[in-house]
Amino acid sequence: MTEELVAGLARQALWTTLLVAGPLLLTGLVAGLVIGVFQAATQINDQTLAYVPKIVVTLLAALFLGPWMLRLMTDFTVRLLEGLPSWVR
């Protein structure tokens, strides 16, 4: 196993992680920003108002994006396992 191969696998793993986690983190970020602006405009400082909508939005995003995320992770794992015999020689 060469250094270039290990670096390439690490790059692919990080890219896959970014693609899988990014949309959920981004939806949580946008929801938090919207809630923060709403709280600042109305001067409501309730902790529940900050957390519950972010959780709901993130769960909805996970429901809609779940099949795509699972397919992405499965494809990466299959590629990794298929290439394993040639890398271990």
Side-chain angles (χ1 to χ4, degrees):
M1 200 178 250
T2 64
E3 293 175 6
E4 293 85 18
L5 179 64
V6 173
L9 287 174
R11 185 182 50 78
Q12 288 176 1
L14 287 173
W15 183 248
T16 302
T17 303
L18 180 66
L19 285 176
V20 169
L24 295 180
L25 293 173
L26 190 62
T27 56
L29 176 70
V30 169
L33 184 63
V34 169
I35 300 295
V37 168
F38 176 74
Q39 282 183 325
T42 60
Q43 296 181 353
I44 298 174
N45 291 324
D46 186 19
Q47 292 297 324
T48 337
L49 185 62
Y51 290 114
V52 173
K54 283 193 278 188
I55 292 171
V56 170
V57 167
T58 304
L59 286 176
L60 287 175
L63 283 175
F64 288 119
L65 297 173
W68 172 76
M69 292 166 33
L70 184 61
R71 186 173 55 247
L72 193 67
M73 289 186 293
T74 304
D75 291 344
F76 175 73
T77 304
V78 166
R79 282 193 320 267
L80 190 66
L81 292 177
E82 285 176 347
L84 192 63
S86 65
W87 301 329
V88 176
R89 294 189 252 160

